[in-house]
Amino acid sequence: MKMNLTSPAFISNLMTEHQLHFNKQFGQNFLIDQNILEKIVRAGKIGPEDTVLEIGPGIGSMTSEMAETARRVITVEIDKKLIPVLNQTLGDYENVEIVNQDFLKTDVLALIGDEKTPLKVLANLPYYITTPIIMKLLETPWPDSVDLTRMTFLVQKEVGERICAGPGSKSYGALSVMVQYYADPAVMFTVPASVFMPKPKVDSVVISLQKKTEMPYTPLDKNQFFKVVKGAFQTRRKTLINSLSHNMPYGKDVLLDVMEKAGIDPRKRAEQIEGEAFCRLANLLVQSGSSEH
Ligand code: SAM
């Protein structure tokens, strides 16, 4: 019989049975609303041929839901104390692999293996490492055998809005540009703080990232591109010229020269600049030979 993994009473009993406490350090806020959980899994658009990668299963509530549809589910949990719980709650699913690792240190390609497979990622992310997890997934050099199209994440509302924002918006920042270089993000729906145990201080959103099949523009040096973007937004209230000269090892003369060549008004602020223009700027800096790497 399927366990009710979103029942607060069930979760409390399970935690007591295994002598566990919610570990704040690992960002443990578990979902306690079955409807919301099913809605999130539906948003993941998981098909019967799919391998699904989950980060942070907690007690396995989303994992078991995904395992009903997916061909294979790989779930990575850092907290070794949760592994006996997961063995209990997911024991009936032969298509689930539980991996006790820190996802940021995990060799994801080794995890998936050599098989040719469509891959989806779905996770209620631990808030303290949302950005590094998403960037790791986006920057992984997925082989042709792995067809990763869609990632669906539950994240803090403010982070989700930053990821999805475009130029001109207050939320638009380095994270927006970096994620949107790799993927088309969208906010799907809001998830109130009340459906978590323990209840976090802020609401969340579910976002989807549709991975781009072709890069929208071509940085000569991706690190340099990202450094320019981060430098520009680091002091986002300053003009672009002041921000970049303050945060990057270039003189104003070099920067003014490349901005003119790139057709970018140096008096604008970073939040008015599109990713493609940042890329033009970074490429001209690389070509000018005055870059610092
Ligand atoms: N999926 C569950 C749910 O929706 O109820 C739990 C989500 S909870 C927000 C985040 C989970 O990520 C926790 O189980 C936590 O222990 C795990 N976690 C935290 N840091 C991690 C890391 N670096 N690698 C893998 N799992 C991690």
Side-chain angles (χ1 to χ4, degrees), residues 190-214:
T190 302
V191 177
S194 56
V195 303
F196 295 95
M197 183 177 173
K199 190 173 148 187
K201 288 196 179 73
V202 291
D203 287 343
S204 300
V205 285
V206 170
I207 59 167
S208 67
L209 301 189
Q210 202 68 30
K211 213 159 164 293
K212 287 180 171 153
T213 44
E214 270 177 44

Side-chain angles (χ1 to χ4, degrees), residues 31 38 89 106 140 144 146 151 187 224 230 233 258 272:
L31 273 165
E38 285 172 15
T89 57
T106 299
T140 294
D144 289 343
V146 177
M151 305 197 236
V187 173
Q224 179 69 356
K230 285 178 186 162
F233 282 102
V258 290
Q272 297 168 280

Side-chain angles (χ1 to χ4, degrees), residues 26-31 56-58 76-78 102-103 124 126 128-129:
F26 289 146
Q28 290 177 354
N29 300 92
F30 299 159
L31 273 165
V76 183
E77 173 56 60
I78 194 171
D102 174 349
F103 182 72
N124 172 7
Y128 74 108
I129 44 168

Side-chain angles (χ1 to χ4, degrees), residues 60-77:
S61 47
M62 270 183 16
T63 328
S64 62
E65 207 62 44
M66 296 188 281
E68 297 280 338
T69 310
R71 186 178 59 82
R72 180 182 178 205
V73 180
I74 305 165
T75 190
V76 183
E77 173 56 60

